[in-house]
Amino acid sequence: MGVYNRAPLEVERGQGVRLWSTDGTEYLDCVSGISTNALGHAHPKLVQAVKDQAEKLWHVSNIFKIPGQDALADDLCAKSFADVVFFTNSGTEAIECALKTARKYHVANGQPERIDIYGFDGSFHGRTYGAINAAANPSYTEGFGPKMEGFHQLKWGDKDALTAAFENPNAAAIVLEPVQGEGGCRATPEEDLRWMREMADKHGVLIIFDEVQCGMGRTGKLWAHEWAGMTPDIMAIAKALGGGFPIGACLATAEAAKGMTVGVHGSTFGGNPLAMAVGKAAFDEVSSDAILNNVNEVAGYLKQQLHGLAERFPDVIVEVRGKGLLLGVKLVPNNREFMGWARDEAKLLVAGGGDNLVRVLPPLNITLEEAREAVEKFEKACEFARTKVAA
């Protein structure tokens, strides 16, 4: 189906931070499958995990116990707020599970009327029905029938509206990305996240964090909310959890998940042995001190250099945003055109984003030397963009 606005680039293979097209052209990949290939392309530990597991067992039904699920769930719970995990195939499935978990929680408490879920403008939670209604981006909801009942959208940063949402007796949950990805790399202030936790506890509302893009080490801590020193009740993760292999997970406290009893949810492929083997290998690597320290070191350098470029190219760059290696550069020229110029003129791949920005999303194991190369290529793209803007 013609649903993708694809770039004119046919990729053939990748290694680390580099991609090669079918004609042999080499690119520096700062898209990383949109924050997914957290360890770059063809990481040897992930490749070996696939090979080893593929020779043993790919898939069985969840009617059987799958030891790999227990192993990865134990790791996730040990390094997060969570007590329980449900494995999915994607981030949007993890969001669906999170939304169902929140509503079931209130049913278990004898309050089935508490169905209202509040999202924020600029958010992105995936493409399933619940996910698009939670984000309520018109470009994703129009043409798909009436709005689903119980979903509401707040303006990002509107504290008064959020206060009213918490005080609504029918409120079930709020759902947000601690650092927005596609919406424009906006980071919710840490003091606001702590205030949300206090209000949620006061009014019996659950907090759902979508850390599909900003989690798994992307911001320099394993989970983005760790910077605020607070925790959600439910969290959706995916993308980097498989290092490029399809896997997602919904994490929750035992209390928040108490309505998720036998038969109320399920998945055919979620948590299959092959996914669990790759996920375990990816999580072990991404959650290591070496990777997290590297993210903070390289992110500090990249952000400093991008701010420097913003000063030198005020006719091209409006603002630099983001946290860790989830960086956004708001532009004067059209961001889609800039992505093409970066690709064709500098052999640099960057992702698009809302608010006319491009996202710089390198692998978490990118070296300082490779980061310097990325800055040089971004500068070259800015120089080309300057000529276009002037024209």
Side-chain angles (χ1 to χ4, degrees), residues 187-216:
T188 300
E190 293 167 14
E191 59 271 22
D192 286 0
L193 292 177
R194 290 190 289 269
W195 171 81
M196 289 181 197
R197 180 70 274 169
E198 293 173 4
M199 290 292 286
D201 291 340
K202 180 179 179 181
H203 297 285
V205 178
L206 298 182
I207 293 178
I208 301 170
F209 278 163
D210 178 342
E211 295 216 14
V212 169
Q213 185 167 159
C214 65
M216 287 291 294

Side-chain angles (χ1 to χ4, degrees), residues 15-16 39-52 281 365:
Q15 183 66 52
L39 300 173
H41 300 283
H43 190 279
K45 290 186 178 179
L46 302 192
V47 171
Q48 195 61 49
V50 172
K51 288 180 177 179
D52 292 346
N365 56 356

Side-chain angles (χ1 to χ4, degrees), residues 29-156:
D29 183 10
C30 286
V31 177
S32 300
I34 309 183
S35 194
T36 299
N37 301 318
L39 300 173
H41 300 283
H43 190 279
K45 290 186 178 179
L46 302 192
V47 171
Q48 195 61 49
V50 172
K51 288 180 177 179
D52 292 346
Q53 186 61 44
E55 292 177 346
K56 294 191 294 184
L57 183 67
W58 289 23
H59 176 76
V60 292
S61 170
N62 276 302
I63 64 173
F64 303 113
K65 291 198 70 173
I66 300 173
Q69 288 187 14
D70 291 337
L72 183 52
D74 285 346
D75 286 352
L76 287 168
C77 290
K79 294 190 176 183
S80 75
F81 68 94
D83 302 308
V84 293
V85 178
F86 180 87
F87 288 110
T88 67
N89 309 284
S90 65
T92 194
E93 289 178 46
I95 285 291
E96 291 292 321
C97 180
L99 298 173
K100 291 172 74 174
T101 299
R103 284 183 168 172
K104 271 291 190 177
Y105 166 78
H106 294 290
V107 171
N109 284 340
Q111 297 177 299
E113 72 280 2
R114 298 193 71 159
I115 66 167
D116 289 345
I117 293 172
Y118 293 87
F120 295 85
D121 70 313
S123 61
F124 179 77
H125 301 301
R127 303 287 192 144
T128 49
Y129 266 111
I132 62 174
N133 278 272
N137 184 326
S139 64
Y140 299 141
T141 58
E142 287 177 358
F144 294 112
K147 182 178 179 180
M148 289 177 68
E149 185 179 359
F151 287 92
H152 311 276
Q153 187 183 42
L154 304 174
K155 186 172 178 58
W156 189 86

Side-chain angles (χ1 to χ4, degrees), residues 30 218 220 290-306 324-327 360 362-372 374-375:
C30 286
R218 178 59 56 179
I291 289 292
L292 296 177
N293 290 338
N294 187 70
V295 171
N296 286 300
E297 181 181 10
V298 175
Y301 168 79
L302 271 179
K303 203 161 191 179
Q304 179 188 49
Q305 295 298 310
L306 289 173
L325 291 179
L326 202 172
L327 294 169
V360 181
L364 306 187
N365 56 356
I366 186 175
T367 66
L368 273 174
E369 184 178 351
E370 291 165 339
R372 278 191 284 270
V375 171

Side-chain angles (χ1 to χ4, degrees), residues 307-328:
H307 277 295
L309 291 180
E311 292 178 1
R312 289 181 50 209
F313 294 92
D315 50 337
V316 177
I317 298 175
V318 176
E319 181 185 5
V320 177
R321 303 177 187 163
K323 204 174 187 74
L325 291 179
L326 202 172
L327 294 169

